[in-house]
Amino acid sequence: MPVEQVIAKVLQSGYSLISKLEADDGRWEVEGIKNGKRTNFHADPKSDVIIARSWPTNLRCCSSLSLSF
């Protein structure tokens, strides 16, 4: 998936800012702001599925797997 499509999908999913977007080991690595919170995630470039998500440590949340955006 081209970078322009990744940006569009991330913004459509509710992110208000993308601070980092890079290809990493065959997947997209993204950092952005959603609902006022900074999050990091990896997305599969072929299926548009979030395959790992990291939340700021102060949120006490675990990683989420296979969430579509």
Side-chain angles (χ1 to χ4, degrees), residues 4-69:
E4 295 84 8
Q5 287 180 321
V6 174
I7 292 169
K9 290 210 175 258
V10 170
L11 293 174
Q12 288 172 357
S13 70
Y15 284 82
S16 58
L17 175 72
I18 300 169
S19 58
K20 177 181 176 182
L21 175 64
E22 66 182 42
D24 182 34
D25 294 330
R27 58 189 180 184
W28 289 106
E29 181 178 340
V30 184
E31 291 180 6
I33 305 286
K34 185 172 185 176
N35 299 326
K37 307 276 192 249
R38 183 176 160 262
T39 61
N40 305 319
F41 64 89
H42 290 102
D44 184 290
K46 296 176 186 163
S47 66
D48 301 336
V49 172
I50 295 174
I51 52 179
R53 184 184 308 234
S54 301
W55 300 92
T57 55
N58 62 349
L59 290 181
R60 297 182 185 203
C61 183
C62 57
S63 294
S64 300
L65 300 176
S66 299
L67 297 176
S68 295
F69 67 112

